[in-house]
Amino acid sequence: MREGTDQTPVAGVKNRSPLLCSYAEQYQRSKPFDGLTIGVCAPLTPHTGLFADVLATGGGEVLVTGEAGSTHADVVEWLRERPGVTPLAAAGMTADELADTRETVLEAEPDLLADDGAFLLSLVHDRFPEIARGVRGACEQTTGGITRLLAMDEQDALSFPVYDVNGTPMKQHFDNVHGTAESSLSAITSLTDTMIAGSVAVVAGYGHCGRGIARKLRALGARTVVTEVDPRKALEALADGHDVEPMADAVADADLVITATGRYQVLRREHVDTLADGVVVASIGSAIEIDDSALADEATSNTTEKPGVERYELPDGRRVTLLTEGKVVNLAAPGRSGNPSHVMDTTFAMMTRGLADLADSDLPPGLHPVPDHLDREVAHEKLSAMDVDIDQVTAAQRDYHDRWETHDSTKPDEQ
Ligand code: NAI
């Protein structure tokens, strides 16, 4: 068999990222980011590496930083050789070192920002307001980041327009629902050798990520229990066939507890008292959802079975396995790089299209939805790359639905 020619750490991602690869080809000519400095902050995985390279191909001077525990050393080395890209994060950096790299990004006075968790966006407004005034626009791709930005927007604290990429149908329905669920479940089962079929799985939060993982767990044969704080989401979970209980009750029978809320201490000290013996606990939402210090305080011993798998023994003999110290398991588990390339292609395509749009935009400061036509275009491009055709709205359908005057709705052609 002939050996593949592309031996770079992004080779596999490129094979499953037709949109980013097609933008790279177009941008060699059109250069939408010519003369612009772009700051990127996201887990520095092969996907982010390819994204940064596409922005640089489009003429941008791109500075890239990352998040704790997810920087791939080989991607950093590869990016060092790419024209127009400066990687600032390195594998193994402490939180303080990473914070310094974020300041370095902002000190370069970026025109555009691409963020994951609003790390750059909160820092630039809080500590570098002069630099914030020079930013043309930004894109944010996560639920957690958008929660912070909504608070900033309500207080009129944003100095430039920010696109809510997380709010696009393309991001929510594919990346959050399917990508996160699949990559997290495969990380959990490969770390723990857990059998899903026949188990009791508790999912905290029935938003996009929680719904996705609860459905997949049930499809694999688990008995699923959802915990929620939003009564409408709780009803939706019931209607979808899951049980709904408060966390304190749900954990008593659980084999697996997965948090998917983005909220602080969803699994906390009071729940440690009722956790079932042998339970596996993981977060797919964020690193703040599981109070690991409560486990550590209550436990009589703590053993690292292998990287990413810690077993706590409680005084009454119950054993609790915590995955990846409560950090998001699909990113923090050894050898993992988050969601599958197939969905990261569309998410980073939305980020790329959003940044190109903002480079020339006169939008006022504040949090804005991504224009719907961009979301549709990305969806069409993805379908076309997958060689899938869909129907078109006919002229008669458009005409019928556009008419607002009173008419006999059963006989459109006789009007
Ligand atoms: P979402 O807003 O759609 O859903 C969150 C749900 O959690 C809501 O239904 C909310 O009512 C519920 N919730 C809040 N507090 C709760 C509590 N104390 N107990 C039970 N339920 C509670 O958000 P989405 O898109 O599902 O994202 C959830 C988290 O996952 C966010 O932190 C997001 O950043 C993260 N995420 C992680 C990814 C990954 O690859 N690991 C990818 C995408 C998002």
Side-chain angles (χ1 to χ4, degrees):
M1 192 191 295
R2 196 167 62 88
E3 205 171 84
T5 45
D6 189 346
Q7 301 288 316
T8 66
V10 298
V13 166
K14 270 189 190 167
N15 285 339
R16 291 177 289 279
S17 301
L19 303 196
L20 287 178
C21 291
S22 77
Y23 295 168
E25 216 174 297
Q26 292 165 35
Y27 289 177
Q28 272 170 4
R29 294 181 297 279
S30 61
K31 300 283 178 195
F33 303 117
D34 219 8
L36 300 180
T37 300
I38 307 174
V40 175
C41 179
L44 225 177
T45 61
H47 309 121
T48 305
L50 182 61
F51 169 59
D53 192 45
V54 170
L55 300 177
T57 308
E61 271 305 316
V62 185
L63 294 103
V64 193
T65 179
E67 290 171 17
S70 55
T71 301
H72 290 224
D74 54 351
V75 177
V76 172
E77 285 314 307
W78 176 73
L79 283 177
R80 274 192 219 297
E81 306 300 319
R82 303 301 297 165
V85 187
T86 308
L88 295 163
M93 268 187 172
T94 63
D96 285 346
E97 288 167 335
L98 276 169
D100 288 346
T101 66
R102 288 178 193 142
E103 291 191 7
T104 309
V105 169
L106 297 178
E107 281 158 6
E109 302 185 9
D111 302 285
L112 295 168
L113 295 171
D115 215 346
D116 176 306
F119 289 105
L120 290 175
L121 292 173
S122 54
L123 185 65
V124 75
H125 286 91
D126 190 28
R127 302 258 309 281
F128 299 87
E130 280 303 314
I131 290 173
R133 277 190 272 282
V135 175
R136 292 190 193 187
C139 287
E140 165 60 49
Q141 64 177 351
T142 69
T143 315
I146 292 301
T147 307
R148 276 170 149 184
L149 290 165
L150 279 169
M152 291 171 78
D153 197 32
E154 269 169 24
Q155 294 165 34
D156 285 330
L158 291 169
S159 306
F160 48 81
V162 182
Y163 273 156
D164 173 3
V165 169
N166 184 66
T168 59
M170 285 297 285
K171 169 74 166 62
Q172 295 191 329
H173 298 163
F174 301 100
D175 184 323
N176 294 10
V177 173
H178 291 287
T180 307
E182 283 202 24
S183 57
S184 300
L185 270 183
S186 93
I188 291 167
T189 50
S190 63
L191 274 176
T192 59
D193 197 24
T194 298
M195 174 101 172
I196 301 291
S199 67
V200 176
V202 175
V203 177
Y206 204 63
H208 295 94
C209 296
R211 191 186 325 133
I213 202 154
R215 285 180 183 163
K216 287 183 200 295
L217 282 162
R218 208 183 40 184
L220 288 171
R223 278 170 45 216
T224 41
V225 184
V226 167
T227 76
E228 253 297 345
V229 292
D230 181 332
R232 297 155 304 178
K233 295 286 179 183
L235 277 171
E236 188 187 350
L238 279 174
D240 284 347
H242 309 288
D243 287 343
V244 174
E245 293 178 11
M247 182 64 97
D249 298 339
V251 294
D253 296 319
D255 298 299
L256 183 59
V257 179
I258 299 173
T259 63
T261 67
R263 287 284 176 86
Y264 184 62
Q265 293 193 352
V266 173
L267 189 78
R268 51 188 176 269
R269 197 170 292 270
E270 70 199 71
H271 304 128
V272 173
D273 294 340
T274 45
L275 275 172
D277 180 30
V279 68
V280 172
V281 177
S283 174
I284 68 166
S286 65
I288 57 173
E289 302 186 25
I290 298 169
D291 182 6
D292 57 336
S293 61
L295 262 179
D297 290 349
E298 304 276 326
T300 49
S301 73
N302 170 9
T303 316
T304 301
E305 288 186 359
K306 60 179 177 178
V309 182
E310 276 176 284
R311 197 183 65 233
Y312 291 86
E313 290 219 19
L314 298 167
D316 58 7
R318 284 175 299 135
R319 295 148 306 157
V320 177
T321 300
L322 174 67
L323 302 187
T324 59
E325 300 165 1
K327 298 186 182 115
V328 283
V329 70
N330 61 337
L331 272 163
R336 294 282 160 168
S337 49
N339 290 339
S341 307
H342 183 65
V343 294
M344 289 314 295
D345 186 36
T346 50
T347 295
F348 277 130
M350 288 305 311
M351 294 288 279
T352 308
R353 296 291 300 271
L355 289 175
D357 199 60
L358 288 164
D360 267 335
S361 138
D362 51 10
L363 274 179
L367 187 60
H368 298 269
V370 176
D372 194 55
H373 73 91
L374 287 184
D375 196 56
R376 281 176 185 274
E377 281 165 28
V378 168
H380 271 301
E381 287 165 1
K382 191 71 176 178
L383 283 173
S384 153
M386 295 165 74
D387 215 11
V388 175
D389 282 336
I390 59 170
D391 287 331
Q392 308 294 323
V393 175
T394 65
Q397 285 168 341
R398 191 172 297 114
D399 181 53
Y400 177 80
H401 289 287
D402 283 352
R403 266 185 293 119
W404 59 269
E405 300 93 340
T406 311
H407 61 276
D408 180 351
S409 61
T410 61
K411 295 177 183 147
D413 292 332
E414 292 170 21
Q415 289 293 309

